[in-house]
Amino acid sequence: MQDDDQANKVFQHFTTGTPHHLTSTMSDIAPDISQYIKEFVFGKIYARDTLSDEEKTLTTIVTLMAMGGCEAELNNHVNVALNVGVQPQKIVNVLIQALPYAGFPRVINAVQVAKAVFIERGVDYQP
């Protein structure tokens, strides 16, 4: 039970403020996936203390962007980054840094996702 409490605590820390949790959209069709996200992703990976919250979220954003086709996950993790205080300019600049490695299409898609999140949350972005 203590592991579940820890997983929920970490999940709440990173996701409070996110308008639409991916776990919420999965619960009605695949509740096990929602539980795995909480237990493994947040309870095991995000709970580690080897990186700062900012480093964890930016690493996740860049990984999802580079993979491509992960816009729903990317949307969630841009929200997560904002939830833990990552500045929108840093999110955009990390994506720009990946441009020569991931390519224009993937970076452009990721910037569009970030822009949509900023607009939805009323986040002021000034380049």
Side-chain angles (χ1 to χ4, degrees):
M1 183 59 122
Q2 190 172 12
D3 283 344
D4 285 344
D5 291 342
Q6 175 67 11
N8 284 325
K9 181 180 174 185
V10 173
F11 179 78
Q12 291 302 319
H13 170 71
F14 282 97
T15 64
T16 297
T18 301
H20 312 285
H21 291 252
L22 185 62
T23 54
S24 299
T25 63
M26 298 299 300
S27 293
D28 60 344
I29 191 164
D32 288 348
I33 293 175
S34 293
Q35 193 62 32
Y36 299 149
I37 290 169
K38 288 180 182 176
E39 289 174 359
F40 178 67
V41 175
F42 289 94
K44 299 292 183 196
I45 304 301
Y46 272 77
R48 298 176 74 224
D49 61 3
T50 55
L51 298 173
S52 70
D53 290 352
E54 182 175 286
E55 290 167 332
K56 292 172 188 176
T57 59
L58 291 175
T59 299
T60 303
I61 287 169
V62 171
T63 302
L64 293 169
M65 177 276 306
M67 290 173 60
C70 300
E71 284 75 17
E73 280 282 319
L74 189 55
N75 180 295
N76 276 292
H77 286 282
V78 170
N79 271 291
V80 166
L82 294 172
N83 294 341
V84 297
V86 179
Q87 295 301 307
Q89 294 82 355
K90 186 167 273 191
I91 295 169
V92 172
N93 282 309
V94 165
L95 295 171
I96 292 169
Q97 181 66 31
L99 191 57
Y101 307 100
F104 277 92
R106 290 195 173 158
V107 171
I108 289 168
N109 287 345
V111 168
Q112 292 299 322
V113 169
K115 179 181 178 181
V117 170
F118 299 161
I119 290 169
E120 179 180 33
R121 292 195 45 174
V123 171
D124 185 34
Y125 174 77
Q126 299 296 321

